[in-house]
């Protein structure tokens, strides 16, 4: 099988190998385990540092320009680039036996359009964003969702989305993602919720993830006299401002920014943490939260996308409002009841450990075999 991936995620050359963002590579390694040839259409440059891994099956890269529309100059320049991107997408789809789109994104949007000309080819689309029909989203995201779910226009496509939403078309398939295998399943570490409560934030340091709110929540808990600490894992454009905030407010004794770390380092932190906090503006399936739950760390997350479902509407974690005072009040009340925390931790672990890489691989095989 000639397997084609179309994605916004940049494919980078490092030490003579093609690499990409680590969680994405782990997932694609599962897909490409069952294909003969592997090609990627993506940008090949990125301005920021990424936590990367090399692909196990090295793909052929079709490099395209990234498309940006934030400023007038970017908009005009991207318009000039689009014809060449469309040509490369069409040529790559001619080559492929199976077309796999990674959405949402500007490249994903163009891929959604070009795939209309290949109605007979088997296709899958991984929609990694929020599929909630009621969510307020950019126009390009809404167009992608409309094209993918329109079975009159889009043929022979299985669309993998996070969450089970009402009124979905027949080609929409609730799906999940995974980080750990069944061989990494461990019994839950019994936490002591009386001593220092360890919070972790795992994610990019960008506005959408609200890392500053996470810091301020822990800061307020500390002001209330609670023994707390916070470690942030990840990097991004907000890092200098966050470190300045920590310095100016004398939080360095209990708030640490670690930057990007290896899977092993993050895994150990999750095993020791009491809580994983991620007050995001938008998510698809927040892997950082599922990973924390895998080891019994209680998630503290905003009510977005399929997160309420993941947390069983509050039985497997805390669903907070993205407002400092309200969030602190809810967390303060929750940590007073150690018995409830123990139950949440156990429920989180049991649920997350049902979604291993082994189960993910089994589902991927079913998707690839469904076209035969």
């Amino acid at each position: 099988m000639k397997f084609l991936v179309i994605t916004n995620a940049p494919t980078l050359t490092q030490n003579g190998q093609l690499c990409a963002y680590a969680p994405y590579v782990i997932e694609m390694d599962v897909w490409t385990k069952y294909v003969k040839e592997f090609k990627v259409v993506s940008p090949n440059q990125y301005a920021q540092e990424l936590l990367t891994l090399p692909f196990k099956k090295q793909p052929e890269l079709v490099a395209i320009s990234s498309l940006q529309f934030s400023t007038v100059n970017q908009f005009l320049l991207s318009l000039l680039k689009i014809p060449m991107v469309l040509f490369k997408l069409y040529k790559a789809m001619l080559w492929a036996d199976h077309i796999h789109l990674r959405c949402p994104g500007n490249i994903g949007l163009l891929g959604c359009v070009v795939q209309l000309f290949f109605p007979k080819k088997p296709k899958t689309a991984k929609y990694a964003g929020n599929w909630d029909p009621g969510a307020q989203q950019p126009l390009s995201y809404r167009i992608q969702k409309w094209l993918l779910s329109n079975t009159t226009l889009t043929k022979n496509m299985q669309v993998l989305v996070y969450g089970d939403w009402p009124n979905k078309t027949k080609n929409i398939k609730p799906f999940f993602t995974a980080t750990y295998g069944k061989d990494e399943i461990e019994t839950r570490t019994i936490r002591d919720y009386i001593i220092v409560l360890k919070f972790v934030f795992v994610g990019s340091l960008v506005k959408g993830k609200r890392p500053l709110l996470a810091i301020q929540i822990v800061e307020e808990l500390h002001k209330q006299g609670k023994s707390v600490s916070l470690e942030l894992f990840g990097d991004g454009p907000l890092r200098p401002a966050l470190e300045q905030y920590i310095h100016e407010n004398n939080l360095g004794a209990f708030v640490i920014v670690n930057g990007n770390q290896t899977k092993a380092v993050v895994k150990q932190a999750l095993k020791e943490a009491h809580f994983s906090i991620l007050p995001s503006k938008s998510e698809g399936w927040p892997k950082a939260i599922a990973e924390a739950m895998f080891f019994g760390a209680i998630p503290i997350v905003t009510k977005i996308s399929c997160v309420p479902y993941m947390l069983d509407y509050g039985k497997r974690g805390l669903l907070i409002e993205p407002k400092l005072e309200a969030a602190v009040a809810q967390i303060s009340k929750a940590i007073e009841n150690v018995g409830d925390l123990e139950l949440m931790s156990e429920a989180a672990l049991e649920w997350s450990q049902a979604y291993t890489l082994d189960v993910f691989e089994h589902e991927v095989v079913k998707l690839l075999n469904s076209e035969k």
Side-chain angles (χ1 to χ4, degrees):
M1 177 190 295
K2 296 176 180 178
F3 186 73
L4 173 68
V5 176
I6 294 167
T7 179
N8 254 52
T11 307
L12 309 175
T13 302
Q14 297 176 343
N15 300 320
Q17 290 187 298
L18 292 176
C19 307
Y21 182 51
Y24 155 64
V25 169
I26 291 170
E27 183 176 324
M28 294 318 304
D29 283 344
V30 175
W31 286 85
T32 58
K33 187 176 178 180
Y34 297 94
V35 303
K36 184 177 181 181
E37 297 180 67
F38 174 28
K39 184 178 288 189
V40 175
V41 180
S42 79
N44 64 341
Q45 293 181 329
Y46 196 63
Q48 299 173 12
E49 183 179 348
L50 288 176
L51 182 62
T52 61
L53 281 176
F55 292 96
K56 287 183 178 178
K57 183 188 290 290
Q58 286 285 289
E60 177 187 341
L61 174 62
V62 178
I64 56 175
S65 300
S66 62
L67 304 176
Q68 304 292 332
F69 298 93
S70 301
T71 67
V72 173
N73 286 341
Q74 287 178 340
F75 182 87
L76 295 174
L77 185 59
S78 293
L79 285 181
L80 294 175
K81 294 176 180 178
I82 284 176
M84 179 55 69
V85 173
L86 289 172
F87 173 75
K88 289 186 176 182
L89 288 172
Y90 185 83
K91 186 177 178 181
M93 289 189 192
L94 277 175
W95 168 88
D97 295 320
H98 184 108
I99 299 164
H100 181 68
L101 302 178
R102 308 287 293 190
C103 299
N106 294 327
I107 305 303
L109 174 58
L110 296 183
C112 287
V113 173
V114 178
Q115 63 85 22
L116 299 176
F117 297 94
F118 298 89
K120 295 183 179 180
K121 291 204 174 190
K123 298 179 284 286
T124 49
K126 168 72 175 293
Y127 193 90
N130 183 0
W131 192 262
D132 182 354
Q136 292 186 345
Q137 296 180 320
L139 177 61
S140 64
Y141 286 27
R142 299 200 301 272
I143 293 172
Q144 286 170 75
K145 291 166 73 172
W146 178 75
L147 283 172
L148 291 172
S149 59
N150 189 320
T151 53
T152 301
L153 295 174
T154 295
K155 303 290 188 181
N156 213 6
M157 168 80 80
Q158 297 184 80
V159 185
L160 315 177
V161 306
Y162 296 137
D164 194 358
W165 304 100
N167 304 317
K168 60 181 180 290
T169 51
K170 63 182 181 180
N171 67 333
I172 306 301
K173 180 180 176 64
F175 214 64
F176 64 98
T177 190
T179 301
Y180 301 111
K182 64 181 180 181
D183 58 333
E184 295 178 275
I185 290 177
E186 301 179 12
T187 56
R188 184 172 65 92
T189 300
I190 304 301
R191 273 82 166 174
D192 185 342
Y193 294 97
I194 305 300
I195 59 170
V196 177
L197 296 176
K198 296 181 179 180
F199 291 72
V200 294
F201 172 100
V202 182
S204 300
L205 302 183
V206 296
K207 289 183 179 180
K209 301 288 185 181
R210 294 194 179 108
L212 179 59
L213 179 57
I215 292 172
Q216 290 172 332
I217 287 172
V218 174
E219 179 185 8
E220 288 300 313
L221 291 171
H222 181 264
K223 287 179 180 179
Q224 291 180 2
K226 295 178 172 62
S227 296
V228 292
S229 69
L230 171 65
E231 290 193 68
L232 295 95
F233 295 90
D235 215 329
L238 292 185
R239 182 171 180 174
L242 295 174
E243 291 177 330
Q244 183 177 353
Y245 182 89
I246 292 166
H247 174 72
E248 290 178 350
N249 291 276
N250 299 313
L251 309 181
F254 60 94
V255 178
I256 300 171
V257 180
N258 292 300
N260 288 331
Q261 297 293 327
T262 64
K263 177 183 174 181
V265 170
V266 175
K267 177 179 175 181
Q268 186 59 38
L270 296 177
K271 290 167 67 173
E272 296 174 359
H274 297 86
F275 302 97
S276 177
I277 184 167
L278 190 68
S280 294
K281 292 181 180 179
S282 180
E283 290 285 350
W285 175 285
K287 289 183 72 172
I289 291 302
E291 291 165 8
M293 294 169 74
F294 196 91
F295 298 107
I298 297 171
I300 301 175
V301 204
T302 38
K303 301 173 186 176
I304 49 173
S305 185
C306 66
V307 170
Y309 159 77
M310 293 174 70
L311 272 58
D312 195 14
Y313 306 93
K315 294 180 181 177
R316 294 191 280 256
L318 299 179
L319 293 164
I320 61 170
E321 296 296 331
K323 297 178 181 177
L324 180 59
E325 186 176 336
V328 170
Q330 185 179 353
I331 296 168
S332 295
K333 182 179 178 181
I335 62 181
E336 296 298 325
N337 194 325
V338 173
D340 284 352
L341 296 178
E342 291 282 1
L343 291 174
M344 278 189 187
S345 174
E346 183 66 31
L349 176 142
E350 289 181 356
W351 177 83
S352 186
Q353 289 186 354
Y355 294 96
T356 62
L357 278 171
D358 309 84
V359 176
F360 179 79
E361 182 170 340
H362 176 73
E363 293 300 318
V364 166
V365 171
K366 285 166 58 177
L367 287 168
L368 292 173
N369 287 340
S370 65
E371 64 203 49
K372 295 179 180 178

